[in-house]
Amino acid sequence: MNKKLIFLDIDGTLTAPGSNVPPQSALDAIRAAQAQGHKVFLCTGRNYDMLRPLLAYGFDGAVASGGGYVFMDDQVLFDCPMTEEQKERALRLFAEGGVLRTIEARDASYCDPGMGEFLQQCSGGNSELLRWREALEKDLGIRPMAEYDGRPIYKVVFMCARAEQLAGAIRELEGEFYFLVQDLAGANCLNGELVNRKFDKGSGIRQVCRALDMPLSDTVGVGDSMNDLEMIETVGIGVCMANGSPKLKKRSDLVCPSVDEDGLAWAFRELGLVESHKNEG
């Protein structure tokens, strides 16, 4: 088959939400695919700092920060933080609505006080909400907002109890930013990401394709939540995890088993990215 570029979301797809350790079956499938000449990239809302532990597994690069920072091996293909004016306006509008903010620079993340307590009150949720709960509970490097030193940021993760808290920010910012609100999936709060309209996961994939002179028809994307929609709509073949968003499943070409049921390895076999052995159970 033609060599493929494979793009993988992390939380809820490659790993359990908040984890940096993929199942062995996923690692075996990724390495087998690479051995056959395919290239495998992370495609994630995480910033570079939060995905760094996974790079040790030998990925070919990443579409990071929701498409705002794209690299392949040691080459940076795209780098687009917010302007100072955009950052200050977004942070002010969220604060005025009582919305909790986590801001992500390339190599650090900072969150408002009270985020941990808020997350403890949230029941249910999607993979992104679970990731933040896990990250804060395990102290995975998210610093207090008081320590923010003004470095450029790429996106804002927002959380609040009611949709009306976002109304002011949406009214003033939606011309410049996407509000990627996650499916509630039983959660009693809203969470999502503010992402610059200059990029998304799909534009990051196109950057990689251009750099490697590969057509979009030879790309595969695997994700689980609605912040993967642009990826799924851009790639040649879109795959959603069984543990994923019902809306995303409807937009995908294939639904594979969940992350804790070796779903990624199943998808790689089903798509012919790796050999499927008859004696596999």
Side-chain angles (χ1 to χ4, degrees), residues 10-68:
I10 298 175
D11 297 283
T13 301
L14 175 64
T15 71
S19 171
N20 285 321
V21 182
Q24 189 61 48
S25 63
L27 292 175
D28 291 344
I30 290 164
R31 288 163 181 160
Q34 289 173 319
Q36 294 193 30
H38 307 300
K39 290 185 178 294
V40 186
F41 295 81
L42 298 171
C43 191
T44 176
R46 290 194 192 192
N47 61 4
Y48 180 82
D49 184 60
M50 295 184 76
L51 66 81
R52 194 196 311 264
L54 287 155
L55 295 177
Y57 293 108
F59 290 94
D60 295 291
V63 175
S65 294

Side-chain angles (χ1 to χ4, degrees), residues 147-272:
E147 295 182 9
Y148 175 54
D149 57 7
R151 68 186 69 189
I153 67 170
Y154 293 78
K155 66 186 181 75
V156 182
V157 175
F158 56 83
M159 297 184 191
C160 58
R162 303 178 311 279
E164 54 265 30
Q165 291 176 264
L166 294 171
I170 291 174
R171 184 170 56 251
E172 294 200 33
L173 297 173
E174 64 179 350
E176 299 169 65
F177 294 91
Y178 298 106
F179 282 76
L180 303 178
V181 180
Q182 300 293 334
D183 285 352
L184 290 178
N188 57 349
C189 68
L190 286 169
N191 69 291
E193 299 173 332
L194 183 76
V195 178
N196 201 314
R197 288 186 180 273
K198 291 181 179 179
F199 57 79
D200 55 39
K201 288 185 176 182
S203 68
I205 290 169
R206 289 191 288 272
Q207 292 274 357
V208 175
C209 286
R210 282 194 291 269
L212 292 171
D213 194 25
M214 294 275 286
L216 285 171
S217 57
D218 284 337
T219 60
V220 176
V222 190
D224 74 301
S225 64
M226 286 304 287
N227 69 358
D228 297 314
L229 179 61
E230 288 80 11
M231 172 179 70
I232 294 297
E233 291 186 332
T234 299
V235 294
I237 300 175
V239 183
C240 184
M241 309 298 289
N243 52 275
S245 159
K247 292 180 181 178
L248 192 69
K249 291 176 184 176
K250 292 180 180 179
R251 308 292 283 271
S252 301
D253 302 298
L254 179 69
V255 176
C256 70
S258 65
V259 63
D260 57 2
E261 295 177 331
D262 299 322
L264 207 59
W266 182 94
F268 275 42
R269 292 193 300 269
E270 186 73 9
L271 295 174

